[in-house]
Amino acid sequence: EIRKAKMSAQVVTCACGKVKIECPATPVFSAFCHCNECRVTTGAPFLWGAGYPFDSIKGFNESELISYQTVPGKTTTRHSCKVCGTFVFEKPGSAPLGIVPCVTMANPPPATMHIFVPDKVVKLPDDGLVRFAGMPGEGVEPMPANTF
């Protein structure tokens, strides 16, 4: 009989180790986000993030976090460690999800798509991942495969 190994939860840790959060092993999605907010938050050309049901993200203590909005008037709230400043998760408005940066995980889930591709600042590799102009599920259809 073949049994699937039970994957353990993802543990996300900030650079100084003060903040540790736990997420389920399997996310709702994992994507490379090219939007301006993600680029500004990470200081990188995109964010590799995994989405989880918000109530499944455990272990964080609000008193250890700085909470902020990267763009005034937007409803996405980002949370970083008060000590070292590492971005550890975000809550996008009223969505029931929390998004966690995969680079802070020991065993990150593979990305399955690129989102907000028109906002990209670097040429994308031909990696075979589906590409979207926005967030899937908001009436946004996949972009042509040759969109780099």
Side-chain angles (χ1 to χ4, degrees):
E1 175 181 324
I2 298 174
R3 294 184 184 184
K4 289 184 179 179
K6 183 177 180 184
M7 290 186 68
S8 60
Q10 293 283 3
V11 176
V12 175
T13 308
C14 67
C16 72
K18 180 81 174 162
V19 176
K20 290 182 180 162
I21 62 174
E22 190 172 294
C23 307
T26 305
V28 175
F29 69 87
S30 180
F32 296 126
C33 182
H34 300 273
C35 80
N36 185 58
E37 278 186 79
C38 286
R39 291 194 324 268
V40 168
T41 299
T42 61
F46 56 86
L47 165 72
W48 176 16
Y52 297 92
F54 186 73
D55 60 0
S56 72
I57 299 172
K58 306 289 185 201
F60 63 90
N61 181 338
E62 292 284 340
S63 68
E64 297 172 341
L65 301 172
I66 298 169
S67 299
Y68 56 96
Q69 293 177 319
T70 52
V71 177
K74 287 250 183 163
T75 59
T76 297
T77 302
R78 301 198 181 226
H79 306 275
S80 296
C81 173
K82 275 187 178 176
V83 176
C84 66
T86 302
F87 165 52
V88 290
F89 74 93
E90 72 178 30
K91 173 79 173 73
S94 62
L97 294 174
I99 298 174
V100 178
C102 292
V103 297
T104 58
M105 299 175 182
N107 187 23
T112 59
M113 64 183 143
H114 290 271
I115 57 177
F116 296 95
V117 170
D119 297 343
K120 71 184 184 318
V121 293
V122 296
K123 184 178 178 185
L124 303 181
D126 187 8
D127 55 15
L129 300 180
V130 65
R131 294 149 194 255
F132 293 91
M135 184 64 122
E138 298 177 352
V140 176
E141 298 296 322
M143 298 175 72
N146 62 352
T147 305
F148 299 105

